[in-house]
Amino acid sequence: MRILEIEIHNIRGIKDLLLTPDGNNLVIWGPNGSGKSALVDSLDFLLTGHVSRLTGKGTAGISLSKHGPHIDHKPPDASVRAKLKIDGLNDPIEISRVISKPTELNGDKDSLTKIQANLEIAARGQHVLTRREILKYITAEASTRAQEIQNLLRISDIEEIRQSFVKADNDLDKELKSAQRSLESAQTSLASLIHCASFSEETLKDCVNSNRSILGGSKLTSVDSSNIKAELSPPTAIPSEGRVNVSLFQKDAKSLELSEKVIIELVQNEKDLLISLEKLQQDISQLRSIELLNLRQLGVSLIDDTGKCPLCNSSWQPGELKKYLDLKISSAKVSVQTKEKIQLLANKIKIPINTILTTLERVKKVLTFDEASKFKEFFEGWEKSLRSCKDNLEEPIKSYTGTSALPFKDLLLPGDLNTNIVGVTATIEAKYPSTSPDQAAWDMLTRLEENVKLLERSKETVQSAAIGKDRSKILLSQFIAARDSVLTRLYESIESRFVEFYKYLHDPDEQQFIASIKPEGAGLNFEVDFYGRGSHPPHALHSEGHQDSMGLCLYLALAEKLTSNMVDLVILDDVVMSVDADHRKQLCSLLRKYFPNKQFFITTHDKTWANQLKHEGVATSKQTVEFYNWSVDAGPTVYLARDLWSKIQSDLTNHDVSAASGKLRRGAEEYFAYVCDDLQASVKYKLNGRWELGDFLPAAVNSLRRLLDKARVSARSWGNTELDDALRELDTTISSIYQRTQAEQWSINASLHYNNWSNFSDNDYRPIVEAFQDLFGLFRCSNCGSRIAITTIGVKPQAVKCSCGKINWNLIEKEK
């Protein structure tokens, strides 16, 4: 797909503009603020329905409908129309778009159907490269670069899938931990119910069998919720409403008093915990290490897929921060051991406290009548103290300082606990009738059945969550492996092309240049060689100009991969401003060599670069447009550059020899400056750098004659008499044309200058113009229009060639 014609009305800084590139390259140059970018935005809008410059980061408050049209016009007045040439179709296709209806592409329905695939590729927006886009690829963070390139490659859904897998893995991990906490809670409830310090299957089985025995049931070898009351019949029914199982209450109340052995063990654990905490407080370095350890462990859990630091948001390569933190965590071995010891002691204390709290919940539920209010107040106060202690034990290093209000033993076994237990038990016994052993056993089995069901459900939930977690981990790892395999192959193809372009652009300085473009986690790691001193990020050591050229080469490699020969248009919007002049010439050569079938729209504010594009054959004079004198009311003034000779002939028609001679002198100076560079001509050095036509022209002609002599010697050595004769005839032609220009005598006579042309009449001057036209032609290929240039092997001249190869003068003699 190429642009034959484009017409713009009232978009951005352009009022009315019609350009007819006719499928060829187009160079648009002019100062900043002259409207060049408005042309780019118009093309962008036509092909995509939006203006990329008005979207993305930093564009809050900017909209297409408000800021897309010219400032003095409304969206319905802002439109773009173009004629397109599509490969395979004989007739051009015309399309248009209006900002008031940006999603609607106007055109013949059959035609739009035929170019649907082209438009889908164009919709990716890869056809426009600006300075801002270069930074996305080169200096961006790995994750941002990956996203931008994947957006261009239209594989961003791969990252979305990976993020979904990661989210699922994180969610399932949270579910597993939540299920494990529920299981621990169910086990604590059962431990409290059977009045043991910690839960065990064997103690549960003994309790169940003991109560089944009272009811005449057989012993169970294993316990589950379905067999706890198997083959048992309930005792004579007693209305359950308002009934309290006194026997079970008595057991619950009695279990609140821990045994002397348990008390001694817990007191010792608490003493050891306080000693460890005191030592830790005195060891500032170890305390600091543990504080950092906590932070690092938290940091590891908070690192997202971008790899950024969750604390300061600084950038790391994906996976690198986790490696660093894991190393720091593993190196703090003493601190880890101290932390683990403290946490172990805290857990030993928390388990019986949790059991007491669970039992207290059951006791308090019974104390709902007035006579029990004083006992309920005591148990609630005790519960509050126990819960405070338990909460502080959750993070003992940070929170636990002991029970300041009373000794730890008194917390576990308050002095008036026995009095309250005896009192509340007597109150319950007086309030409610005693429970028969059978009823007590049945009620106990009922409680156990309910709690075992909860335990079983918790185990099933843990098992299910563990399976889900394992599967999500496998899915994530397999997806990442498959993704990395596919993307690695894709990026390797881009990588090799990028290296080829960059080496060509920087020949011969960086022929050993290598690059690495590899997916890493959620990011895309991009490192390049620095003159054999190792690989580094592009913006670490390379200059801004090198970074720009890298971005351009990477973009061209991507564009080549992306367009699939469906969209031949490439817009380079002022992207070479920091690329030096030497490499600009090579860039022109790169565009001609590798992209002969692409249509380039190149904008620049640099006249030298615009002229270089013209002289290197990327665009002709007719394909060069100058924007200048922009105003908000009229937009840019547009000058469609004509051929040098046409402009000179126009001046001569108006009898303005002075203007014509000025154009010829400046045009010839510029042309032969490039010729001298192409042919490695020897130009007299001037410290002030002010070379003129009298410096360039003789040097160019002398160099051409010298190369002709070498080429003739080489041709004779290889027995190529036909080429020798052709080159001899060309040498004769050179002498004749050179004399016709009168340049030879002027270069000899220092008293004369090319400005003396202005004293000629238009009839006197026409033959000189014609002679210079012929002289220009000596240095160009009649087939491809490119200038001839020396090719070398290292520093040794090898041949004189044009771009298409029709001119190919061998300079190397046959060995004798």
Side-chain angles (χ1 to χ4, degrees):
M1 181 174 75
R2 292 186 173 217
I3 304 289
L4 299 176
E5 178 179 288
I6 180 167
E7 186 174 11
I8 304 166
H9 294 293
N10 302 318
I11 288 190
R12 306 282 281 160
I14 293 177
K15 292 278 287 184
D16 294 288
L17 177 66
L18 174 64
L19 297 175
T20 55
D22 200 28
N24 298 309
N25 296 338
L26 191 66
V27 174
I28 306 97
W29 74 277
N32 290 328
S34 61
K36 302 185 301 296
S37 293
L39 170 62
V40 174
D41 292 342
S42 299
L43 277 167
D44 192 14
F45 172 68
L46 174 67
L47 296 177
T48 68
H50 66 265
V51 175
S52 58
R53 203 186 309 272
L54 304 182
T55 62
K57 188 176 181 180
T59 59
I62 298 176
S63 67
L64 176 65
S65 60
K66 185 176 181 180
H67 301 99
H70 184 276
I71 192 70
D72 294 331
H73 291 269
K74 301 297 183 183
D77 304 325
S79 64
V80 190
R81 179 192 64 82
K83 283 185 180 179
L84 308 178
K85 177 68 177 72
I86 306 296
D87 289 345
L89 299 181
N90 294 327
D91 298 325
I93 289 176
E94 185 168 305
I95 61 174
S96 64
R97 203 184 294 264
V98 182
I99 284 185
S100 59
K101 298 179 179 179
T103 60
E104 294 183 14
L105 185 65
N106 304 309
D108 179 74
K109 289 185 178 180
D110 291 339
S111 298
L112 293 180
T113 301
K114 292 176 183 178
I115 64 172
Q116 188 60 40
N118 306 74
L119 294 174
E120 286 180 359
I121 291 178
R124 302 175 188 176
Q126 60 78 35
H127 53 277
V128 181
L129 179 68
T130 68
R131 170 68 176 165
R132 183 175 66 171
E133 270 67 47
I134 284 183
L135 298 179
K136 288 181 183 178
Y137 308 133
I138 299 303
T139 63
E141 298 167 6
S143 59
T144 303
R145 181 188 303 115
Q147 190 61 47
E148 292 296 339
I149 289 179
Q150 287 176 13
N151 285 340
L152 276 179
L153 293 170
R154 221 177 180 187
I155 55 174
S156 56
D157 54 338
I158 291 178
E159 176 57 18
E160 292 172 5
I161 294 171
R162 187 199 67 82
Q163 290 175 354
S164 297
F165 278 133
V166 170
K167 184 179 185 301
D169 188 59
N170 290 335
D171 289 345
L172 288 168
D173 186 59
K174 292 176 183 177
E175 287 183 19
L176 177 58
K177 289 177 179 177
S178 176
Q180 288 170 337
R181 287 193 296 269
S182 296
L183 177 59
E184 291 171 1
S185 177
Q187 290 171 336
T188 299
S189 295
L190 270 169
S192 168
L193 189 58
I194 59 180
H195 308 298
C196 61
S198 59
F199 172 78
S200 73
E201 297 285 349
E202 195 63 30
T203 307
L204 172 62
K205 185 175 68 173
D206 290 343
C207 181
V208 169
N209 283 331
S210 174
N211 285 281
R212 282 178 62 84
S213 177
I214 295 171
L215 294 169
S218 60
K219 285 190 175 183
L220 302 177
T221 56
S222 62
V223 174
D224 60 56
S225 61
S226 65
N227 67 6
I228 286 178
K229 294 193 292 186
E231 303 174 353
L232 297 178
S233 299
T236 303
I238 300 174
S240 59
E241 187 176 351
R243 179 172 65 81
V244 172
N245 190 316
V246 176
S247 177
L248 293 182
F249 181 84
Q250 289 169 341
K251 289 180 180 180
D252 282 341
K254 186 176 180 180
S255 70
L256 292 174
E257 291 186 279
L258 300 177
S259 68
E260 186 67 22
K261 180 181 178 181
V262 173
I263 292 291
I264 292 172
E265 184 179 345
L266 288 173
V267 168
Q268 185 60 49
N269 286 337
E270 202 256 356
K271 182 179 179 181
D272 292 342
L273 175 61
L274 289 172
I275 291 172
S276 298
L277 289 170
E278 185 179 0
K279 287 182 178 178
L280 182 62
Q281 295 294 334
Q282 293 173 352
D283 190 343
I284 302 299
S285 61
Q286 191 175 170
L287 179 61
R288 176 64 174 164
S289 179
I290 288 179
E291 289 173 346
L292 290 174
L293 180 65
N294 291 334
L295 178 62
R296 286 165 179 159
Q297 287 174 330
L298 178 62
V300 168
S301 69
L302 293 176
I303 297 173
D304 61 20
D305 302 318
T306 66
K308 287 184 178 180
C309 174
L311 183 63
C312 65
N313 207 36
S314 59
S315 299
W316 289 69
Q317 292 293 333
E320 290 301 313
L321 179 56
K322 185 178 184 303
K323 290 179 185 177
Y324 172 79
L325 292 176
D326 285 342
L327 181 63
K328 288 292 185 181
I329 291 169
S330 63
S331 65
K333 292 181 179 178
V334 175
S335 301
V336 170
Q337 291 171 357
T338 302
K339 182 182 178 183
E340 288 177 348
K341 179 183 177 181
I342 290 173
Q343 197 62 56
L344 178 61
L345 289 168
N347 289 339
K348 285 182 177 180
I349 299 169
K350 279 196 303 180
I351 291 172
I353 290 178
N354 278 333
T355 303
I356 294 173
L357 288 169
T358 304
T359 305
L360 275 172
E361 284 293 326
R362 290 200 301 273
V363 169
K364 285 180 359 182
K365 286 180 181 179
V366 178
L367 307 180
T368 57
F369 52 96
D370 293 342
E371 298 93 319
S373 59
K374 63 178 180 178
F375 303 112
K376 186 177 181 181
E377 184 179 347
F378 165 79
F379 288 124
E380 286 179 342
W382 185 33
E383 179 191 33
K384 183 178 180 181
S385 299
L386 286 171
R387 199 169 294 282
S388 175
C389 178
K390 172 189 171 271
D391 291 343
N392 289 335
L393 287 168
E394 295 294 337
E395 294 186 74
I397 295 175
K398 179 180 178 181
S399 306
Y400 194 75
T401 57
T403 53
S404 56
L406 70 168
F408 186 64
K409 181 179 179 180
D410 292 341
L411 173 69
L412 299 173
L413 195 66
D416 49 356
L417 176 60
N418 182 260
T419 302
N420 280 277
I421 289 175
V422 171
V424 75
T425 302
T427 302
I428 292 298
E429 290 171 348
K431 173 88 173 165
Y432 298 101
S434 60
T435 308
S436 68
D438 287 357
Q439 187 63 52
W442 181 263
D443 286 350
M444 183 61 173
L445 291 175
T446 300
R447 282 191 184 182
L448 289 172
E449 185 181 48
E450 293 171 355
N451 280 267
V452 169
K453 280 182 180 178
L454 179 61
L455 178 67
E456 289 170 347
R457 286 198 297 269
S458 298
K459 286 181 177 179
E460 289 174 359
T461 303
V462 168
Q463 185 179 18
S464 175
I467 291 172
K469 170 64 179 174
D470 290 342
R471 288 176 177 173
S472 72
K473 187 175 182 180
I474 292 170
L475 279 171
L476 177 60
S477 63
Q478 290 299 313
F479 176 80
I480 288 176
R483 179 206 63 180
D484 287 353
S485 175
V486 173
L487 289 185
T488 296
R489 291 197 300 271
L490 175 63
Y491 290 139
E492 280 176 353
S493 67
I494 296 171
E495 173 189 298
S496 61
R497 200 63 165 159
F498 161 72
V499 169
E500 183 179 0
F501 290 164
Y502 188 80
K503 287 168 70 172
Y504 185 88
L505 188 57
H506 291 268
D507 179 59
D509 295 340
E510 297 205 49
Q511 284 307 299
Q512 305 306 313
F513 178 80
I514 58 174
S516 172
I517 305 176
K518 299 190 182 302
E520 195 169 302
L524 182 63
N525 191 38
F526 182 28
E527 292 190 345
V528 294
D529 170 70
F530 186 73
Y531 297 98
R533 271 72 167 181
S535 294
H536 307 272
H539 53 299
L541 297 172
H542 283 86
S543 69
E544 185 179 353
H546 282 77
Q547 290 176 45
D548 274 1
S549 63
M550 282 181 202
L552 182 56
C553 290
L554 181 57
Y555 170 79
L556 291 172
L558 284 165
E560 185 179 55
K561 189 80 177 177
L562 290 164
T563 57
S564 304
N565 297 320
M566 299 292 288
V567 177
D568 297 319
L569 176 65
V570 177
I571 302 171
L572 303 179
D573 186 13
D574 230 355
V575 296
V576 295
M577 53 187 170
S578 63
V579 177
D580 58 71
D582 289 342
H583 294 119
R584 290 182 182 187
K585 178 182 178 182
Q586 200 69 2
L587 175 57
C588 293
S589 178
L590 184 148
L591 296 178
R592 289 201 318 270
K593 177 179 179 180
Y594 288 99
F595 301 97
N597 298 318
K598 292 287 186 188
Q599 181 184 24
F600 287 96
F601 277 31
I602 303 174
T603 71
T604 180
H605 63 272
D606 188 335
K607 183 178 179 181
T608 301
W609 169 229
N611 286 331
Q612 200 161 15
L613 287 164
K614 184 169 59 175
H615 287 293
E616 295 296 331
V618 175
T620 66
S621 295
K622 293 180 180 179
Q623 298 158 11
T624 303
V625 179
E626 181 183 0
F627 282 11
Y628 62 99
N629 289 345
W630 180 90
S631 70
V632 68
D633 295 320
T637 299
V638 179
Y639 175 70
L640 301 176
R642 293 179 298 164
D643 185 77
L644 172 67
W645 311 112
S646 298
K647 289 184 281 185
I648 290 174
Q649 290 300 332
S650 177
D651 288 336
L652 293 180
T653 300
N654 295 325
H655 308 291
D656 192 348
V657 175
S658 177
S661 65
K663 287 183 178 65
L664 179 57
R665 182 172 61 82
R666 288 192 297 273
E669 277 179 3
E670 187 174 8
Y671 182 80
F672 285 107
Y674 286 115
V675 168
C676 287
D677 184 59
D678 292 331
L679 301 184
Q680 300 180 3
S682 298
V683 180
K684 182 180 179 181
Y685 177 72
K686 291 184 177 181
L687 186 62
N688 61 10
R690 297 177 64 179
W691 289 280
E692 297 177 341
L693 183 56
D695 302 305
F696 292 128
L697 180 53
V701 173
N702 291 337
S703 180
L704 180 60
R705 283 174 165 168
R706 176 178 55 81
L707 292 169
L708 280 172
D709 289 342
K710 291 195 69 170
R712 289 187 63 195
V713 172
S714 172
R716 289 195 294 269
S717 73
W718 291 97
N720 192 343
T721 56
E722 184 178 347
L723 178 60
D724 180 35
D725 291 342
L727 294 177
R728 183 182 68 251
E729 184 178 344
L730 178 59
D731 188 40
T732 302
T733 302
I734 292 171
S735 298
S736 172
I737 293 174
Y738 192 34
Q739 290 174 5
R740 285 166 50 208
T741 64
Q742 300 188 22
E744 188 172 28
Q745 60 175 308
W746 285 345
S747 64
I748 294 171
N749 188 346
S751 64
L752 295 174
H753 191 268
Y754 291 101
N755 284 338
N756 285 6
W757 276 333
S758 59
N759 297 323
F760 291 3
S761 70
D762 54 301
N763 289 327
D764 292 333
Y765 192 62
R766 289 182 191 277
I768 296 176
V769 172
E770 293 170 358
F772 266 91
Q773 282 183 278
D774 293 341
L775 187 62
F776 275 40
L778 293 174
F779 297 88
R780 282 194 182 279
C781 171
S782 60
N783 185 55
C784 66
S786 68
R787 292 192 309 272
I788 57 176
I790 290 178
T791 62
T792 60
I793 301 176
V795 296
K796 183 179 179 181
Q798 178 191 29
V800 175
K801 295 181 179 180
C802 67
S803 295
C804 72
K806 181 180 180 180
I807 296 176
N808 188 352
W809 305 338
N810 183 20
L811 301 178
I812 299 176
E813 297 180 43
K814 182 178 180 180
E815 294 183 1
K816 297 179 180 180

